[in-house]
Amino acid sequence: MPKRLALAVLVSGRGSNLRALSAAIEQGTCLAQIACVISDRKGAPALEFAAERGIATRVVSPQDFSDRPSWDRSLAERAAEFEPGLVVLAGFMRLLGPNFLARFPGRIVNVHPALLPAFPGKDGPAQAVAAKVALSGCTVHVVDAGVDTGPILAQAAVPVVPTDDADRLHKRIQAAEHRLLPSVVNAIARGHYELGERPRYVGPADVGAFAPASWPPLES
Ligand code: GRF
């Protein structure tokens, strides 16, 4: 039995992706364990969810630091205490600094509510609605120093319908995120991705191995 991948999950808000990860772990479909949940915001509902489950929580708010480098260093130190094999940004609304990136090189992933490289940054769903695209979705990618610019690991497409506003589309995208993120974390835990400088998928040829179970295999 392969070892569970220890996760440091960084959050800023609601934490529906954290819940989805936790549910997949409990159901046995994601070979990971949540070692800690760290927020940049006191009172984030995601923290409450974690605490209720006995998961260690930390708050590292920029407001408590005189400058960004000290915040970045402290964030990296708090996460490193838990010796995570992977850092997951699950609705973490800040750019990581050089210290954090250097501490976990190639071992940080983010979930973004658009099909990158389209619509990076804030308000991915609103950007998609404004651009009147017919298809958007979500992306799990490795984090680098840019805004949603790191190598893409997996994506799920979600149709945009004429009656969509940003909120309605975001809800539909989130349902896809809740399947995609645990699937990718599971694939990483099982060694199906080589992370590092140039991440690549090295797992079974059948993409169904990490795609949501309801997706047909590409070859069919
Ligand atoms: C998600 O839509 C994610 O793509 C984006 O922030 C949102 C966080 O949602 N990065 P939640 O806190 O996981 O509910």
Side-chain angles (χ1 to χ4, degrees), residues 2 24 35 55 66 73 93 95 107 119 149 159 167 172 189 200 214:
I55 300 168
S66 54
R73 237 184 338 270
M93 304 310 280
L95 265 186
R107 307 290 305 176
F119 314 135
T149 49
D167 279 353
R172 206 169 322 112
R200 62 192 186 109
S214 58

Side-chain angles (χ1 to χ4, degrees), residues 9-13 37-47 57-62 71 75 92:
V9 183
L10 271 53
V11 298
S12 295
V37 172
I38 304 179
S39 174
D40 61 332
R41 238 172 25 89
K42 294 183 181 82
L47 287 172
T57 61
R58 300 284 185 274
V59 176
V60 188
S61 164
W71 170 74
L75 188 66
F92 187 69

Side-chain angles (χ1 to χ4, degrees), residues 12-177:
S12 295
R14 207 154 37 111
S16 69
N17 280 288
L18 169 69
R19 286 165 202 259
L21 270 174
S22 165
I25 290 169
E26 273 170 28
Q27 287 156 18
T29 55
C30 182
L31 188 66
Q33 49 120 342
I34 302 174
C36 64
V37 172
I38 304 179
S39 174
D40 61 332
R41 238 172 25 89
K42 294 183 181 82
L47 287 172
E48 201 180 319
F49 172 82
E52 278 166 8
R53 267 149 197 81
I55 300 168
T57 61
R58 300 284 185 274
V59 176
V60 188
S61 164
Q63 287 170 358
D64 298 333
F65 296 86
S66 54
D67 53 28
R68 200 177 132 76
S70 333
W71 170 74
D72 175 39
R73 237 184 338 270
S74 175
L75 188 66
E77 275 160 19
R78 290 292 79 71
E81 271 173 32
F82 295 91
E83 301 183 356
L86 187 72
V87 176
V88 179
L89 308 191
F92 187 69
M93 304 310 280
R94 287 178 199 277
L95 265 186
L96 295 170
N99 210 285
F100 197 101
L101 292 170
R103 188 75 75 105
F104 305 101
R107 307 290 305 176
I108 310 169
V109 298
N110 179 43
V111 57
H112 179 75
L115 291 178
L116 293 171
F119 314 135
K122 279 191 180 158
D123 305 325
Q127 293 182 58
V129 168
K132 300 194 190 310
V133 292
L135 204 58
S136 190
C138 53
T139 303
V140 176
H141 66 96
V142 175
V143 173
D144 63 12
V147 178
D148 303 322
T149 49
I152 290 169
L153 298 179
Q155 295 183 303
V158 172
V160 184
V161 298
T163 50
D164 270 344
D165 58 18
D167 279 353
R168 284 168 63 104
L169 177 60
H170 197 184
K171 279 209 183 83
R172 206 169 322 112
I173 289 175
Q174 284 218 297
E177 290 180 345

